[in-house]
Amino acid sequence: MSGEKQYTIRFDQIDLQDIGQVGGKNASLGEMIGKLGQKGVRVPDGFAVTATAYWTYLEENKIKEGLDDILKTLDLEAFTNLEEVSQKARELILKGQIPSVIQSSIINAYRDLCNRTEENVSVAVRSSATAEDLPTASFAGQQETYLNISGGQVLVNAVRRCFASLFTPRAVKYRTDHGFDHMSVALSVGVQQMVRADTGCSGVAFTLEPETGFKEVIVINGIWGLGENIVQGTVDPDEYVVFKPALRANKSSVISRKVGKKQKTMVYGDDQDHHWKASVINIDTPEDRQHQMILDQAEVDLLAGWSLIIEEHYGKPMDIEWAKDGLTGEFYILQARPETVHSTKATPHLIFSYELKEKSSVLTSGIALGSKIASGKARVLTSPEQAVQLLPGEVLVTDVTNPDWDPIMKKAAAIVTNKGGRTSHAAIVARELGVVAVVGTGNATETIKDGEEITVSCAEGKTGMVYVGKLAWESHTIDTREITLPDTEVMFIMADPGKAFKYSFLPNNGVGLMRMEFVVNNTVQIHPMALVKYHEIKDLEARQKIAGLTRNYDSKEDYFIDHLSQAVATVAAAFYPRDVIVRMSDFKSNEYANLIGGNQFEPQEENPMIGFRGASRYYSPLYRDAFRLECEAMKLVRDEMGFTNVKLMIPFCRTVEEGEKVVALMKEFGLARGSNGLEIYVMVEIPSNVILAEKFAEIFDGFSIGSNDLTQLTLGLDRDSELVSALFNENNEAIKRLITQVIQVGKQSGTKVGLCGQAPSDFPEFTQFLVTEGIDSISFNPDALIKGIRNIHEAEARHRAAQSQNPIPN
């Protein structure tokens, strides 16, 4: 900029040296237009009203001194007069008149914009303070944004209101908390051509997973209409999770997609003169559009690709707003700012874990933000004006939190809302504050009573739970710098894909057992044969449930394939490129019968534990088509998404002939052993697997010892029976001999051997036995992993000491 005062700058003429004049947000827009536009990223045209205009406005209207006097009266201890002080400050600013030279500059810049775009173009008027959107703090939404503004004089008035919004209660509180001098912070205004998202859709994108900070995914949220609803968290958005390495390799990169309710759609209003917020209105979203996803595959790929370009350009994880013009079908990036929660952690090597030690009745559930637990007295509020009722340490329960709640959120032990999504403004602020929050419950203000004691848990995966009463829990801190992996591979036993990103940060060599049953039971919910033979289902209620769950799918079978493949892909992405061994389904007939539509397709068995389960199901006419769906899902994960780190495992394979039959069937269904590096393992959980281990090793690439089933079938006892449970013991000599035999066969045949079970973490002597025998890997449940690692280290140290004292002769 020259020495002459400049009150407006076109976005495409902004240089980084102007960042103090236009704020971080607008500098980002200008740089994107100038540099990222060459890479195909599209940004709406517009201009910035500079900080010079703001300072000149204060000086010409002689506002500074009076403003300073008002701010000095702020109660810095309890902020009891925050609303009053901020209101007086805004009123003082609004009494001023924008100097004619600034008015002319704004109106001329607006006319130029109209000449470049269309007559009387509608614009979004966005505030951007110099203390907003910094690399170390976001707190977006402190100041006001005005949408669908048109006409030069109306725009000038909107700019004046943006100036005043620098002193909203939330902005004043934020600057005070972070040590910013109120009178040193300036405000610029971005004037941006409106993208007709009112007829299209809009949303936000994070270039990392916002709950855990996992950096290899892009999370895109979106809704119908203008984006204010998603930013404020007033609707439940659609969500798409994209795996960056697959995107770069031009593979099928969407590893998860979820339909949100999208209850409201924000569109243009008829009149912007009566009230500043009347230029846009909220209407109910038609039910059919609530169930329809807003983006197709190509559109997700486009937005994810742009997000990746933006992240790579700035060299840091980003928080991005986007919109689709419904009239032209074109996409635009509205703004991009640094992600400020995970990317600025001072102690990324520390992992905090929380675990409930007891449970009670569930009052409500929703989207978990973070992984903490908190308890306290519930305070049900309907407005930020009731802030005085919330005492420190209480749980704030309300319909939705927007920027007006920011000043009081610090007092809350936890936050529970009816509405909101993982990438809403409220979620961003809750993460930055480190506040436990469960959003999007739908009914919290109805099911939680004001004043009752509750516990809010975000430690159980992506679903946050609110329990009755104050419950006991434990917290643990893990310093990953102090943990090294032993020579024996340490792997996870996984069930819930929702916890995969979180667990990936712990020291590990991958996943030794992913249980497919959890996904089928909790996500698919429908018996696969009920999807294959939907038109033959006799139970009318089951048919209606299936129709509702599969409404967005042309094929009922695609519903199963899509949900199963996404769940496995999520785990595979979390641990990529480390191995993820997925066990094909191992439901017993009584368990399968509990799925929707399951009764019609399951036999009645006296002893399902040793009945129609595992491998024998796969080639049976009663289940063969369902196994085909499992195989199609795994083929999609490996071949189309590119997760060749996924290995497959066959459970409860009674005979060698059965193993051969299943491997041949998998080949028929597109999963040929060795093709694209596919390895197929077998569970060693039946004595016959051990007795004929050499022959099983010719069919399969690896053995995974299931110590629970192997113990009960070797000792001939029911592990669920209290009468004989005392006899259940993996340390029994018979079990150890079988395990030793399998490990020896593995070494001789070059077949990897692992073990999945609780014993290695519970019994150090059992770990010592496994290490001494030379097992390749041991898999643990997540809560036992660290203890298991310690046990292995100690066992390996003793084994090395023993070998040095008794060297094996040449």
Side-chain angles (χ1 to χ4, degrees):
M1 292 178 62
S2 64
E4 180 184 348
K5 287 185 177 180
Q6 190 167 358
Y7 301 116
T8 58
I9 314 176
R10 279 176 51 163
F11 283 152
D12 58 2
Q13 295 177 356
I14 293 174
D15 190 88
L16 282 180
Q17 66 182 2
D18 298 322
I19 193 165
Q21 283 293 323
V22 299
K25 182 187 303 179
N26 294 323
S28 297
L29 279 171
E31 190 177 3
M32 275 193 286
I33 289 175
K35 298 179 180 179
L36 300 183
Q38 299 173 8
K39 299 181 180 180
V41 179
R42 191 181 295 114
V43 180
D45 199 353
F47 62 92
V49 180
T50 68
T52 298
Y54 170 77
W55 290 125
T56 303
Y57 177 81
L58 295 188
E59 291 167 3
E60 292 290 322
N61 288 280
K62 296 180 171 53
I63 290 173
K64 272 188 175 181
E65 187 175 334
L67 192 58
D68 194 35
D69 290 341
I70 291 172
L71 294 170
K72 285 178 181 177
T73 66
L74 181 64
D75 173 10
L76 298 177
E77 295 295 325
F79 294 91
T80 54
N81 62 344
L82 176 61
E83 290 281 347
E84 177 187 354
V85 168
S86 64
Q87 183 174 345
K88 286 182 178 179
R90 294 196 306 277
E91 288 175 350
L92 177 62
I93 293 175
L94 287 172
K95 286 178 182 177
Q97 295 295 320
I98 292 186
S100 58
V101 64
I102 299 177
Q103 286 200 44
S104 297
S105 183
I106 294 172
I107 291 172
N108 288 335
Y110 177 69
R111 285 174 181 163
D112 288 343
L113 178 61
C114 292
N115 291 335
R116 297 195 303 272
T117 54
E118 61 183 81
E119 184 179 355
N120 213 33
V121 64
S122 291
V123 294
V125 185
R126 301 172 178 270
S127 308
S128 180
T130 54
E132 185 186 3
D133 299 335
L134 298 178
T136 55
S138 173
F139 271 73
Q142 290 181 75
Q143 287 76 233
E144 296 294 341
T145 292
Y146 299 101
L147 302 178
N148 192 23
I149 299 298
S150 60
Q153 195 56 53
V154 178
L155 173 58
V156 168
N157 290 336
V159 169
R160 186 165 60 98
R161 288 179 176 270
C162 283
F163 287 167
S165 74
L166 188 59
F167 294 93
T168 59
R170 56 188 181 267
V172 172
K173 179 69 162 53
Y174 166 72
R175 291 195 296 271
T176 302
D177 289 342
H178 287 76
F180 290 110
D181 178 8
H182 297 290
M183 302 308 296
S184 298
V185 173
L187 186 131
S188 68
V189 178
V191 180
Q192 187 179 65
Q193 180 186 4
M194 283 288 293
V195 176
R196 290 301 304 270
D198 61 306
T199 61
C201 57
S202 57
V204 296
F206 282 83
T207 61
L208 49 61
E209 203 282 319
E211 299 309 321
T212 63
F214 183 74
K215 293 185 177 181
E216 290 303 313
V217 294
I218 298 166
V219 179
I220 300 172
N221 277 205
I223 56 174
W224 298 118
L226 299 171
E228 195 71 5
N229 279 334
I230 198 170
V231 173
Q232 302 298 343
T234 53
V235 300
D236 303 317
D238 290 348
E239 180 173 281
Y240 308 82
V241 181
V242 178
F243 187 50
K244 292 177 185 175
L247 183 68
R248 294 188 184 102
N250 292 318
K251 292 283 188 179
S252 180
S253 60
V254 179
I255 60 173
S256 174
R257 57 171 63 84
K258 294 178 182 176
V259 181
K261 293 179 181 177
K262 306 179 290 290
Q263 301 94 325
K264 297 284 186 180
T265 301
M266 186 174 286
V267 298
Y268 283 8
D270 296 327
D271 192 347
Q272 65 181 15
D273 295 326
H274 296 286
H275 190 278
W276 284 96
K277 291 297 185 185
S279 53
V280 292
I281 58 173
N282 251 336
I283 61 173
D284 291 333
T285 305
E287 186 173 354
D288 62 329
R289 282 170 69 83
Q290 290 186 34
H291 298 303
Q292 179 185 346
M293 298 206 81
I294 63 166
L295 301 174
D296 61 29
Q297 181 68 54
E299 292 172 333
V300 174
D301 288 343
L302 175 70
L303 285 173
W306 283 4
S307 299
L308 197 58
I309 290 170
I310 292 169
E311 178 185 57
E312 291 173 349
H313 177 79
Y314 289 110
K316 63 187 70 174
M318 300 295 286
D319 169 3
I320 299 163
E321 291 184 25
W322 59 269
K324 177 185 179 182
D325 191 310
L327 301 182
T328 66
E330 294 181 328
F331 282 82
Y332 292 86
I333 298 299
L334 304 183
Q335 67 179 46
R337 52 181 169 244
E339 190 278 338
T340 58
V341 177
H342 299 286
S343 56
T344 58
K345 273 186 176 180
T347 55
H349 54 279
L350 295 181
I351 298 175
F352 303 94
S353 64
Y354 301 81
E355 180 185 4
L356 277 175
K357 305 308 291 183
E358 57 183 336
K359 296 281 184 76
S360 66
S361 300
V362 176
L363 289 168
T364 190
S365 63
I367 299 169
L369 302 179
S371 60
K372 297 181 180 178
I373 302 172
S375 61
K377 188 175 291 184
R379 188 61 60 207
V380 182
L381 303 180
T382 59
S383 166
E385 296 173 1
Q386 300 172 314
V388 68
Q389 298 179 29
L390 181 72
L391 301 179
E394 292 185 336
V395 178
L396 171 62
V397 182
T398 190
D399 183 53
V400 62
T401 55
N402 59 36
D404 292 330
W405 292 89
D406 292 358
I408 64 172
M409 288 170 73
K410 268 192 173 180
K411 292 197 295 182
I415 300 165
V416 183
T417 69
N418 293 337
K419 301 171 184 174
R422 292 203 299 145
T423 55
S424 66
H425 166 269
I428 296 170
V429 175
R431 290 189 199 99
E432 290 196 358
L433 291 174
V435 176
V436 181
V438 176
V439 301
T441 64
N443 61 356
T445 54
E446 299 172 9
T447 59
I448 300 173
K449 296 178 182 177
D450 187 63
E452 75 172 315
E453 297 285 353
I454 61 174
T455 296
V456 183
S457 172
C458 294
E460 300 167 69
K462 289 186 176 181
T463 301
M465 313 296 289
V466 181
Y467 296 98
V468 173
K470 277 193 170 185
L471 303 181
W473 79 83
E474 290 182 353
S475 62
H476 305 278
T477 302
I478 300 170
D479 189 338
T480 55
R481 296 174 304 180
E482 299 175 355
I483 302 173
T484 57
L485 287 170
D487 295 334
T488 307
E489 288 189 346
V490 176
M491 307 183 83
F492 277 108
I493 299 172
M494 287 282 298
D496 184 0
K499 298 179 180 180
F501 292 146
K502 170 186 172 183
Y503 290 142
S504 71
F505 289 95
L506 292 170
N508 70 88
N509 295 108
V511 177
L513 169 62
M514 179 184 174
R515 294 191 173 105
M516 188 181 289
E517 301 81 48
F518 181 93
V519 178
V520 175
N521 197 42
N522 292 275
T523 304
V524 177
Q525 303 178 55
I526 305 168
H527 194 292
M529 289 303 295
L531 293 166
V532 173
K533 299 188 175 184
Y534 172 72
H535 295 294
E536 298 179 21
I537 296 175
K538 300 172 184 176
D539 185 337
L540 181 59
E541 183 180 354
R543 283 176 65 94
Q544 290 174 338
K545 287 182 179 178
I546 294 170
L549 288 169
T550 61
R551 65 164 62 90
N552 290 329
Y553 292 85
D554 295 331
S555 161
K556 297 288 187 288
E557 294 185 3
D558 286 346
Y559 169 85
F560 183 93
I561 295 167
D562 194 43
H563 282 71
L564 180 57
S565 63
Q566 288 181 36
V568 173
T570 298
V571 177
F575 294 92
Y576 187 85
R578 291 163 288 181
D579 287 350
V580 172
I581 302 174
V582 179
R583 185 177 70 189
M584 307 303 277
S585 66
D586 193 25
F587 276 117
K588 289 78 175 173
S589 55
N590 59 324
E591 295 168 340
Y592 254 130
N594 292 326
L595 295 171
I596 298 171
N599 274 323
Q600 185 175 329
F601 300 98
E602 291 300 323
Q604 296 289 325
E605 294 187 285
E606 290 295 327
N607 194 345
M609 182 68 76
I610 54 174
F612 189 48
R613 63 174 288 200
S616 60
R617 273 186 169 268
Y618 303 156
Y619 55 86
S620 166
L622 296 177
Y623 193 80
R624 189 180 191 274
D625 281 334
F627 184 60
R628 170 177 55 81
L629 299 185
E630 293 182 25
C631 291
E632 288 185 21
M634 296 306 97
K635 180 175 173 56
L636 174 63
V637 170
R638 285 183 45 81
D639 296 347
E640 295 187 27
M641 295 184 179
F643 291 111
T644 53
N645 59 323
V646 169
K647 301 179 178 182
L648 303 178
M649 184 156 63
I650 306 304
F652 224 76
C653 185
R654 294 173 169 95
T655 69
V656 173
E657 292 76 18
E658 188 169 62
E660 291 172 338
K661 190 178 294 187
V662 169
V663 170
L665 187 60
M666 293 177 72
K667 182 178 181 180
E668 180 183 333
F669 292 152
L671 292 172
R673 181 184 172 204
S675 176
N676 198 17
L678 174 61
E679 293 185 7
I680 303 176
Y681 282 39
V682 68
M683 292 289 294
V684 174
E685 50 195 342
I686 307 170
S688 63
N689 300 141
V690 181
I691 296 168
L692 297 176
E694 293 92 344
K695 293 188 176 181
F696 278 103
E698 295 174 2
I699 305 169
F700 296 102
D701 300 289
F703 293 148
S704 180
I705 301 168
S707 58
N708 289 338
D709 271 350
L710 186 61
T711 299
Q712 76 167 349
L713 293 173
T714 301
L715 300 181
L717 55 82
D718 180 356
R719 68 175 187 249
D720 295 326
S721 171
E722 295 180 4
L723 298 175
V724 294
S725 61
L727 295 172
F728 187 91
N729 180 14
E730 295 98 325
N731 274 305
N732 183 279
E733 185 180 352
I735 310 303
K736 285 186 173 182
R737 286 193 182 188
L738 292 177
I739 292 174
T740 297
Q741 187 175 335
V742 173
I743 294 174
Q744 288 175 349
V745 170
K747 290 184 181 302
Q748 294 165 4
S749 62
T751 305
K752 287 190 71 173
V753 182
L755 181 139
C756 302
Q758 192 69 19
S761 59
D762 289 346
F763 307 114
E765 66 275 18
F766 191 72
T767 306
Q768 186 68 62
F769 157 70
L770 294 174
V771 168
T772 301
E773 294 301 318
I775 199 160
D776 294 305
S777 68
I778 303 176
S779 298
F780 299 92
N781 288 312
D783 60 350
L785 183 81
I786 302 302
K787 184 179 178 182
I789 290 174
R790 294 194 184 106
N791 285 349
I792 294 174
H793 271 303
E794 292 171 2
E796 288 181 346
R798 285 191 292 266
H799 182 57
R800 285 192 293 269
Q803 285 183 316
S804 64
Q805 293 175 7
N806 301 288
I808 300 174
N810 293 326

